[in-house]
Each structure stands twice: as structure tokens, then as C-alpha cells.
Amino acid sequence: MNAPIIDPLQGDFPEVIEEYLHHGVTKCIAFNRRGTLLAAGCTDGSCVIWDFETRGVAKELRDKDCIAAITSICWSKYGHRILVSSADKSLILWDVASGEKITRITLHHTPLLARLHPGSSTPSLCLTCPLSSAPMIVDFNTGNTTVLPVTVSEVDSGPAPPSRNKPSDGPPYTPTAACFNKFGDLVYVGNSKGEILIIDHKSIQVHAMVPTPAGAVIKNIVFSRDGQYLLTNSNDRTIRIYENLLPLKDGLTALGDLNKTVDEVAGVEKMKAVGSKCLALFREFQDTITKVHWKAPCFSGDGEWLIGGSASKGEHKIYIWDRVGHLVKILEGPKEALIDLAWHPVHPIIVSVSLTGMVYVWAKDHTENWSAFAPDFKELEENEEYVEREDEFDLIPEAEKVKESDINEDGDVDIVTVEKDAFSDSDMSQEELCFLPANPCPDVPEQQDKCVGSSSKLMGSNNSGSPLSEEAGQNGQAMNHASSPLEEDTGGTRMKRKRKPSEKGLELQAEKGRKPLKSSGRLSKTRSKPVADRDISNGIYGDDISD
């Protein structure tokens, strides 16, 4: 719902926990491009996909070869594929519609982050950041891996390309952050020296470098959805936003032109000069009082808001800033550490993951303002006496006769043009996967189970000699058991109850052989049928009882 319609003074950001999702122990989450599906990676190696409109599980992806925890999850551009990285050093590419595994590649190091190439609907390239190695490009078609440089000194040392399909033999790396730009022609790498390197991943060449003010280790680097802003999270407990000065399309071509124009310097200074024309520091965000570390920072769908989770133990706090730099809200959740965050691409909704594996959905606490729907509506604090106007019930009030309408009633009405989504930069593509068909589970045949359970109880009561059966045996009344529930059709088979002669029945049978019973008028009438046509009840066998 559009927030200005409800109350123009309210901010368009979440405020309270609306509900929670639970299916296994969740470690990471990601929305598809429209926000209709939410994917989550679990500790048992499975991937759960929720239909975010109904909050129901739409599909579960599970590989028998992967039982380790999922470290990251990523959707393709049109939502047909999902890439997950696992703690067992594997990358798995899934087909979402069919639920089948496309390919699985095992790396030499545990991948902490994996992102599919954003420029293709069916990408075959991905960018991954291993635990103890430099970022690399993985080709799923060939299985080759290309290690990207993480420092400028590697570029200046010689033109030798990085090794392929082999682990790095150099010094151990700290965890490095990397991401594609909007169309995937450039890779932005943040290293342990606090430098942002702009790399052409095809030629494996560093074109520009942007040093951060503090020079601290860069832990996260994320682009906004529209590609206009770049976010970095450093070890100095500061989140920085840079404005992207390169064009969104053909950024690599524009970067090559900048390199040609800068001729007065060479080497590292030239890269810094080019980098100053690629990124410009826009804002810095930090908590000056508590000095907390930040975890999983990201932009909102429209790029107007910025969120960051507190990395303190036992604390589930989400800080919300506007892009200008003002802290507008601090969301406090349960006493559980926060491990991942995601902002809905279209609506003002935040999804957070706690250390216990619960997924919390934060939404806006809407305040009704009826004057937004009817401008002449007035909310009253208490009852007031109403005095109606003279022209209140006229067909055309005098006040409206004076007003002149500015609407051109003779103009053409455009019903073909589709307005662009205010929160999404994506186009209305017909090949985009927005929803998954429901696969209902077959119902458990409860009726059969109840029937079988009742039959066991009934047989037990008959064998124990209930008072009803004893009374019927004494009176000699025949009980018609054709209406017994055991003879009903249960699952295509008919069950017949086999009676055993009770002790009372055996006594009556023995007594019949020694002494004939005195018949009453009522009993003689009931025994007027032949012996072969009579029902046998309560274990009474033998010929007809004589009068």
C-alpha cells in the first residue's frame, strides 16, 4: 500500500514484526526481482522457497550430496535459476520451476558469497568470494575458475594472468567482498587495505582504484537496484555510500575512455585518478555512541533507505537511515543475534534471520487516515451537532456550479501504456518467473484408520462378553450383524467378523443338551423360521430349541 495515501507524514519503512516464517534452521535469505518469492538456505543443505504473498512453502530444493550449511543464496535475473554456496566448498545451480539440479562444482575453498551474472536470463557465470582466497569467476559450462586480483601490486608486478583451476599459492587472504555492477560488465572488489578495485572480469585487468578514508578492511560491498549507489561496510564500524559516476550501460567502454584521457600520471596514481571519476563518496553512517559493528547492510527497493543490522551478540537490532544520512528508526527484535537481512524489492518490508534460524517479517504499522480517501472527511473527537446546508441535498449544489472542471472530457484515455513500478527497475518481461504452481499433498485416508480402530475396539468388547451380548444370549435373540461397521467397504476390501463362542454360550449349549428350555410366546414367534435361515448370535450353535 502507498504510504502517502495513508498518512503523508509517515515514513515508508517497516516498524513492527508482522509474523515469522519457520522451516528448518535458516542461515541466509534472498528475494527474487519482483519480491513474490523468498528463498532461504538452511543448515542441512536444503533451499526453501516461500510464496511471499501467501507465506506458504512453494518448493524445497534438496541435494543428497550436500548436507552442509548454505552460506549464500542468489536468484537469476528472471528468477528461473537459483545459485547456492555451501560450507562443503560446493556451488549448486538449481532450476526453480522443475526443482532439478543443473550442475554442481566443488571449489578448493569454502565460498562465503556467490552471485550470478546479472546481465543474462540464464547465466552461466558467477562471482564467488571464498574464505581463504581471492574472489573468482566460475564458469558453469566449462567448470573453469578465474581468480581476480585483489591488490594493485599484483597488477604492477607483471602481466602474467592469474592461475586457473588451481588454489592460490600466495599469502593467505582475509575475507574479501566483491559484486557485479548492474549489467555485469564490471566487478567491484573491496580488499583488506580498504581499497575498491574496478576490474574487467573478462580480461582480468584492474582499470581503477578508489581508496576509502580509513583504509579498514571492507567486509561488504553492495550495489543498489538502480545501480546509482554503491555501499561498503568496513571494519572501522562505518557504512559508506558512494555515488556511481559511470553510465549504467557500457560502463566498461566509459572506463576505457577515462583511462585514455588521464595521461599525466601512470601506475597506481593513474588508477586513483580514474577511480575518482568513477565513484564519489556520498555519505557515511555509524553509531557514534555504541560504536557497533554492522552486519548485512543493504538498500531498500527504491534506494531511498539504508538498513544495517547490529553485529552484537544477543541483539536483534535493525538501524534504518534515509539516504541523506539521518537515523529515522531502530527496530528491536527478540534477544537473538541477527545474521542476515533483506529488504523487499517493492513493498516497505524487511526480512531478518536470527541465529536460531527464525525468519522475521517486519512490516509497517499503518495508521488509518480517512481524509486521504475523502478530502472533505473530518474526524471528530466527540459528538457535535450537525447543521445541514441549504443546498446539501440538491442534485447540483450551488458550490459546485461555481467551480469549473479542468478535466478534458473529450480527450482520449490511454489504457494501453503500463506504468512503471515505482519501486522496481525491472521491465515487465513475459519470461519472468514470479510464482510457482502449488503441489498439494494427497490427503491421508483417515476414514480407514478410524474404521480399523473402531473394529479393534468392537472385537475386544465382544470377546470380553459385554452385558449386551450376555443379555442377548440369555433371551435367545438373534443379533443381525450385517450392519456392523466392519462389514462396510474400507479401501475396497470387506471385513467379516468371526465370532467365537462365549462362555455363556457354551454353558447354554451344554444345558440345552441336558434339559430343554421352556419357551415363551415371544420366543416361539421369533423362532418360527427354519434353522438354516436364522442368524447365529453369541455362540449358540446346534439345532432349533424345542418348545
Side-chain angles (χ1 to χ4, degrees):
M1 188 180 292
N2 195 1
I5 293 180
I6 302 170
D7 191 347
L9 300 179
Q10 294 186 28
D12 202 9
F13 51 83
E15 296 174 341
V16 295
I17 295 180
E18 184 181 53
E19 61 178 320
Y20 69 91
L21 307 176
H22 181 63
H23 190 88
V25 182
T26 306
K27 300 295 291 184
C28 53
I29 51 175
F31 279 105
N32 65 340
R33 194 170 62 163
R34 289 285 173 186
T36 55
L37 298 174
L38 175 65
C42 303
T43 55
D44 59 353
S46 63
C47 175
V48 182
I49 302 177
W50 279 289
D51 188 327
F52 201 70
E53 300 295 331
T54 62
R55 305 293 200 270
V57 177
K59 192 177 288 291
E60 184 175 1
L61 308 176
R62 185 181 296 272
D63 184 13
K64 61 180 181 180
D65 298 329
C66 179
I67 58 175
I70 301 299
T71 58
S72 71
I73 188 167
C74 175
W75 289 83
S76 63
K77 181 178 181 181
Y78 292 117
H80 291 278
R81 295 184 178 184
I82 280 182
L83 174 66
V84 296
S85 60
S86 176
D88 61 356
K89 305 179 182 180
S90 65
L91 296 174
I92 304 176
L93 187 63
W94 293 93
D95 184 87
V96 178
S98 63
E100 297 179 355
K101 179 177 62 176
I102 299 176
T103 183
R104 183 175 187 267
I105 294 179
T106 303
L107 304 176
H108 296 282
H109 301 279
T110 302
L112 299 178
L113 178 71
R115 292 291 179 262
L116 286 170
H117 191 277
S120 174
S121 58
T122 56
S124 60
L125 295 177
C126 84
L127 171 66
T128 178
C129 298
L131 177 62
S132 304
S133 177
M136 59 181 64
I137 300 292
V138 181
D139 190 345
F140 289 105
N141 293 334
T142 61
N144 294 331
T145 59
T146 304
V147 180
L148 300 177
V150 294
T151 58
V152 179
S153 59
E154 295 181 9
V155 182
D156 295 338
S157 60
S163 60
R164 296 175 182 265
N165 298 328
K166 294 182 180 180
S168 176
D169 298 331
Y173 291 96
T174 57
T176 310
C179 69
F180 284 109
N181 64 344
K182 181 175 174 57
F183 291 96
D185 52 351
L186 294 173
V187 175
Y188 288 70
V189 176
N191 59 17
S192 59
K193 298 180 180 180
E195 300 168 345
I196 303 174
L197 306 181
I198 304 177
I199 304 173
D200 177 13
H201 63 86
K202 293 183 179 178
S203 63
I204 321 174
Q205 181 180 358
V206 180
H207 290 276
M209 181 185 70
V210 181
T212 58
V217 177
I218 297 178
K219 300 187 295 183
N220 304 97
I221 183 167
V222 182
F223 259 105
S224 61
R225 285 179 59 84
D226 55 4
Q228 296 288 346
Y229 296 94
L230 179 71
L231 176 150
T232 62
N233 178 26
S234 303
N235 260 358
D236 60 349
R237 311 180 186 190
T238 304
I239 298 175
R240 296 176 176 87
I241 293 182
Y242 293 86
E243 186 178 358
N244 184 19
L245 304 179
L246 294 176
L248 298 182
K249 291 186 177 181
D250 299 328
L252 181 59
T253 304
L255 191 59
D257 296 338
L258 286 176
N259 277 284
K260 295 178 182 178
T261 56
V262 179
D263 294 332
E264 59 273 10
V265 292
V268 177
E269 296 299 327
K270 180 179 180 180
M271 292 183 182
K272 291 182 179 180
V274 175
S276 62
K277 298 181 180 181
C278 298
L279 294 175
L281 183 61
F282 185 72
R283 287 287 184 275
E284 291 185 352
F285 304 88
Q286 61 181 347
D287 192 339
T288 57
I289 299 175
T290 59
K291 299 290 184 180
V292 298
H293 286 278
W294 305 110
K295 182 171 289 187
C298 62
F299 289 97
S300 62
D302 56 354
E304 294 295 330
W305 308 95
L306 173 69
I307 59 174
S310 172
S312 302
K313 295 182 179 180
E315 217 174 52
H316 200 97
K317 288 186 178 181
I318 303 174
Y319 291 71
I320 303 178
W321 298 274
D322 57 9
R323 201 166 55 188
V324 180
H326 301 131
L327 179 64
V328 295
K329 191 74 175 180
I330 299 179
L331 306 179
E332 295 189 13
K335 300 297 182 180
E336 302 169 359
L338 186 146
I339 59 176
D340 200 7
L341 279 175
W343 192 300
H344 194 280
V346 179
H347 302 294
I349 296 176
I350 295 175
V351 178
S352 62
V353 181
S354 68
L355 188 61
T356 58
M358 301 292 292
V359 178
Y360 296 97
V361 180
W362 300 78
K364 186 170 180 57
D365 187 13
H366 296 293
T367 302
E368 294 180 350
N369 182 9
W370 293 100
S371 60
F373 300 95
D376 56 347
F377 184 85
K378 181 181 178 181
E379 296 181 1
L380 301 178
E381 298 293 338
E382 57 184 8
N383 293 335
E384 295 182 5
E385 184 178 357
Y386 178 71
V387 179
E388 60 185 46
R389 304 187 313 270
E390 288 291 336
D391 61 344
E392 183 171 359
F393 297 101
D394 295 347
L395 294 179
I396 302 177
E398 294 294 334
E400 294 185 2
K401 292 180 181 179
V402 181
K403 297 180 181 179
E404 295 182 0
S405 177
D406 298 332
I407 302 175
N408 184 12
E409 297 180 356
D410 298 332
D412 297 333
V413 179
D414 186 7
I415 61 174
V416 178
T417 305
V418 179
E419 294 183 1
K420 188 178 179 182
D421 197 343
F423 293 96
S424 179
D425 61 321
S426 58
D427 54 346
M428 297 294 292
S429 176
Q430 295 181 356
E431 59 183 34
E432 187 171 358
L433 180 64
C434 295
F435 298 97
L436 290 174
N439 296 323
C441 299
D443 295 335
V444 180
E446 298 179 356
Q447 188 66 25
Q448 181 176 356
D449 298 341
K450 293 180 180 178
C451 186
V452 174
S454 61
S455 67
S456 61
K457 294 180 180 179
L458 189 57
M459 289 180 67
S461 63
N462 289 330
N463 293 336
S464 62
S466 63
L468 181 61
S469 62
E470 292 180 1
E471 183 182 357
Q474 292 174 359
N475 297 333
Q477 293 180 350
M479 297 178 60
N480 186 8
H481 59 275
S483 61
S484 173
L486 292 178
E487 293 185 11
E488 297 178 358
D489 191 4
T490 57
T493 60
R494 297 182 65 86
M495 301 175 59
K496 293 287 186 178
R497 179 171 57 196
K498 296 182 179 180
R499 294 179 179 270
K500 293 183 179 180
S502 62
E503 296 180 359
K504 190 67 176 179
L506 293 176
E507 293 177 0
L508 291 175
Q509 186 178 359
E511 186 179 356
K512 182 187 74 69
R514 295 193 303 269
K515 179 181 179 181
L517 295 175
K518 294 182 179 180
S519 61
S520 62
R522 180 171 54 86
L523 290 176
S524 62
K525 291 181 181 180
T526 58
R527 294 185 181 127
S528 61
K529 295 187 297 182
V531 178
D533 296 336
R534 291 203 308 271
D535 295 331
I536 300 173
S537 178
N538 293 321
I540 301 177
Y541 299 99
D543 298 332
D544 186 19
I545 301 176
S546 60
D547 295 332

